[in-house]
Amino acid sequence: MAIAKSTTRNFKNLIGGKWVSAHSRKTFENRNPAKNRDLVGIFPSSDTRDVSDAVAAAKEAFKTWRLVPAPKRAEILFRAGGILTERKEQYARDMTREMGKVLEETRGDVQEAIDTAFYMAGEGRRMFGNTTPSELQNKFAMSVRMPVGVCGMITPWNFPMAIPSWKLLPAIVCGNTCVIKPAQATPLSTYNLVQALLDAGLPAGVVNIVSGSGSQVGMPIVEHPDVTAISLTGSSEVGRAVGMAAAAGFKPCSLELGGKNAMIVMDDANLDLAVEGALWGAFGTTGQRCTATSRILIHKKIARRFTEQLVERARKLRIGNGLEKGVQVGPQVSQQQVETSAMYVKVAIDEGAKLLTGGKRLQGKAYADGYFFAPTIFGGVKPSMRIAREEVFGPVLSLLEFDNFEHALAIANDVDYGLSAAIYTRDVNQAYRAMRDIDTGIVYINAPTIGAEVHLPFGGVKQTGNGHREGGSGALDFYTTWKSVYVDYSDRLQRAQIDTGE
Ligand code: NAP
Ligand code: MG
């Protein structure tokens, strides 16, 4: 088709600073989920051989990159932040085209990469270790951060630039080299981010991109003996497989996985504000955020009013192509995601939940060539239902009622995930108890479950991850390893724990 051909680009893998085809010569297509006939790009379908080439390039580059002073490495990040700022609109448009979320949100996604670039560039002149007194005379002790080596990274499609930036930028400033596999649904935004780094002067081989599937590229990266650390953002199912494979090689492995995030609305809440937050939390990014508000727990005293208002507002949301003005909710990313939403609608109805709005794929000419699913709300949901426990990753929201604060907390915590939570209340005592007692990595007071900032730790508990954090100083902890250094300037043998006493 004419539109498709004129704007289609052929992408290659980036290995050792060169753009190369996959050994297999096979490719896959990246299409626009709002307008399927729009082909965004053609990308290589790589395999183990391409991974080996990329890891070899990263290993070679590590020899010199680790010796570049961190403030010099940081200068490249500063420049990349500036380049991304200049290209923000173009990269946001590319992202909406490949992924579907509305332009306002893809601008935010690029901004997150910009923020991360500047924040991590600042770390180039910090990256503090410790000095501490030695127990022996004329001896000096310190701990210093060292890079870990070649880092393997596997990313999902829902934050196609922000998530790669959370991994690549701290890794680079700490002196590591990287092999990244972007999600097949959204590789272009990773290419755009890396292009900004190359244009900022990043040396060859420091970042390598191998595109392709999870099984053909992702797992070979995890299993490659020269890859020394692994970072994955994705589903808990893939996280378990990746974590086990990494454990077999004794590799540090950071897993950022799913969520089933609750918003608690107390009877003293500002209801208009809570409705506003619920709409944004549940239907922003078409519900395809790991932090999406997928359960709203409502105090029974205000349940009717809140529900009526929310359903009315959800019905009015404008669904469509995220590049068009006025559209508030874009398509889902793929046929598979739409099918998952439809499957959960059926499961919820079978289990006795009440469909209040939505519940189906959108029909009609405007929606025919994309993956549009109506914003969906279920009432009368019980904590034991699958719709209240499993991650849907689509615009499907469950409403549950509670009697009192303790009851709300118990429901909020009774799931296998622990990423984000929110509470709307004006009672400071309840707010503080929620901050302490909700079992998640992130808690919002009077704000929805989404909206993380890059300089705070990001991640969760239970099946949401394995204890690491992205963002903030947690990223430095993952991408460096501690080395303890003792300098003895006494000119004699001094034995710790033995020569310390009189
Ligand atoms: P996914 O299916 O788990 O895929 C994530 C990445 O892993 C993709 O690049 C995928 O490749 C790759 N992959 C798949 N199977 C693999 C395997 N056996 N070995 C190695 N890699 C493999 O998740 P998704 O559908 O892209 O993203 C949605 C999920 O990510 C949700 O569960 C969401 O909650 C989670 N998420 C979590 C966070 C967080 O920080 N906590 C943030 C965003 C998203 P291909 O798909 O290209 O084949
Ligand atoms: Mg796509």
Side-chain angles (χ1 to χ4, degrees):
M1 224 162 266
I3 328 167
K5 269 194 186 139
S6 63
T7 53
T8 298
R9 277 171 59 200
N10 276 285
F11 293 83
K12 295 182 170 182
N13 287 326
L14 176 64
I15 296 180
K18 296 201 173 66
W19 298 103
V20 293
S21 303
H23 280 273
S24 67
R25 304 272 151 191
K26 287 187 196 152
T27 56
F28 66 89
E29 294 178 345
N30 176 8
R31 286 186 177 270
N32 180 342
K35 202 164 67 175
N36 225 283
R37 62 180 185 280
D38 177 21
L39 181 59
V40 178
I42 294 174
F43 290 82
S45 268
S46 315
D47 60 32
T48 314
R49 293 168 290 176
D50 308 294
V51 169
S52 291
D53 293 348
V55 174
K59 193 178 173 188
E60 185 59 30
F62 182 65
K63 290 180 188 163
T64 45
W65 183 243
R66 73 186 187 91
L67 301 177
V68 174
K72 291 284 163 203
R73 298 195 292 249
E75 283 172 16
I76 295 172
L77 265 60
F78 273 122
R79 281 198 293 275
I83 292 169
L84 287 169
T85 306
E86 282 163 24
R87 297 178 189 168
K88 181 171 167 179
E89 191 60 21
Q90 181 203 327
Y91 285 174
R93 284 179 179 275
D94 282 350
M95 195 188 297
T96 295
R97 222 178 127 207
E98 76 167 340
M99 187 276 175
K101 63 186 173 187
V102 298
L103 202 48
E104 210 178 12
E105 291 188 44
T106 51
R107 286 185 191 123
D109 197 309
V110 177
Q111 187 60 45
E112 212 164 309
I114 295 167
D115 295 344
T116 303
F118 290 135
Y119 172 56
M120 284 301 161
E123 280 303 331
R125 284 189 187 271
R126 283 190 291 266
M127 231 179 276
F128 299 125
N130 291 304
T131 62
T132 182
S134 166
E135 65 191 39
L136 294 157
Q137 271 191 10
N138 297 323
K139 197 165 179 179
F140 183 85
M142 62 184 163
S143 59
V144 292
R145 289 186 183 275
M146 305 295 287
V148 290
V150 177
C151 300
M153 300 162 176
I154 304 171
T155 52
W157 44 261
N158 63 339
F159 281 86
M161 188 177 287
I163 291 177
S165 80
W166 293 353
K167 301 185 192 304
L168 289 172
L169 303 179
I172 292 170
V173 82
C174 291
N176 302 286
T177 57
C178 313
V179 176
I180 185 165
K181 185 208 95 65
Q184 284 180 103
T186 59
L188 176 56
S189 297
T190 294
Y191 280 72
N192 284 342
L193 172 65
V194 174
Q195 188 61 55
L197 286 164
L198 296 176
D199 294 344
L202 192 76
V206 174
V207 171
N208 303 273
I209 309 175
V210 186
S211 69
S213 74
S215 57
Q216 296 298 305
V217 178
M219 202 41 102
I221 291 176
V222 177
E223 290 173 340
H224 196 294
D226 289 336
V227 174
T228 40
I230 304 294
S231 180
L232 164 86
T233 299
S235 58
S236 297
E237 188 189 351
V238 171
R240 182 173 282 120
V242 164
M244 282 164 60
F250 303 103
K251 299 178 189 189
C253 175
S254 167
L255 302 172
E256 296 294 340
L257 311 172
K260 189 69 191 173
N261 314 292
M263 171 192 288
I264 299 173
V265 186
M266 297 304 301
D267 52 347
D268 68 338
N270 175 342
L271 268 203
D272 292 341
L273 184 69
V275 167
E276 206 68 49
L279 273 180
W280 173 231
F283 302 120
T285 322
T286 323
Q288 303 171 123
R289 291 190 184 220
C290 49
T291 52
T293 305
S294 60
R295 300 181 289 156
I296 301 193
L297 319 186
I298 320 165
H299 195 289
K300 65 178 181 200
K301 275 198 207 152
I302 49 140
R304 223 174 116 183
R305 253 174 69 213
F306 179 87
T307 304
E308 278 170 12
Q309 279 188 38
L310 182 67
V311 169
E312 193 194 325
R313 293 283 303 275
R315 286 199 179 119
K316 287 190 189 142
L317 286 170
R318 294 185 53 192
I319 324 297
N321 184 336
L323 287 172
E324 284 168 19
K325 248 198 153 77
V327 167
Q328 293 166 293
V329 180
Q332 291 209 255
V333 78
S334 64
Q335 173 69 19
Q336 191 195 332
Q337 289 304 123
V338 166
E339 283 171 11
T340 305
S341 296
M343 185 272 281
Y344 274 106
V345 166
K346 187 176 177 314
V347 166
I349 291 171
D350 288 350
E351 287 192 323
K354 189 165 170 228
L355 181 63
L356 301 177
T357 183
K360 54 184 188 312
R361 189 168 180 161
L362 291 169
Q363 307 294 334
K365 201 158 170 259
Y367 303 121
D369 197 24
Y371 309 116
F372 296 97
F373 202 85
T376 299
I377 302 178
F378 278 103
V381 175
K382 301 279 171 268
S384 58
M385 292 179 182
R386 283 181 64 192
I387 196 75
R389 313 191 70 80
E390 297 175 18
E391 184 180 51
V392 178
F393 227 58
V396 181
L397 174 65
S398 297
L399 307 185
L400 298 89
E401 290 184 25
F402 64 83
D403 301 321
N404 55 43
F405 181 71
E406 280 69 31
H407 187 200
L409 272 186
I411 300 173
N413 287 338
D414 183 28
V415 288
D416 292 332
Y417 296 104
L419 182 53
S420 181
I423 183 167
Y424 280 75
T425 179
R426 287 160 167 156
D427 178 333
V428 71
N429 298 354
Q430 272 173 358
Y432 269 87
R433 287 182 56 201
M435 288 182 231
R436 185 191 60 195
D437 294 339
I438 294 182
D439 203 9
T440 57
I442 307 169
V443 175
Y444 293 92
I445 309 299
N446 293 326
T449 57
I450 62 182
E453 300 180 26
V454 305
H455 53 302
L456 278 82
F458 184 92
V461 297
K462 299 194 251 181
Q463 291 186 19
T464 292
N466 61 346
H468 295 284
R469 290 291 183 271
E470 297 198 293
S473 58
L476 297 186
D477 291 337
F478 185 73
Y479 290 108
T480 57
T481 183
W482 286 113
K483 185 173 276 183
S484 300
V485 181
Y486 301 89
V487 183
D488 192 319
Y489 54 100
S490 69
D491 230 12
R492 62 191 176 87
L493 176 66
Q494 298 197 89
R495 298 170 301 174
Q497 293 90 36
I498 295 168
D499 294 338
T500 46
E502 283 309 305

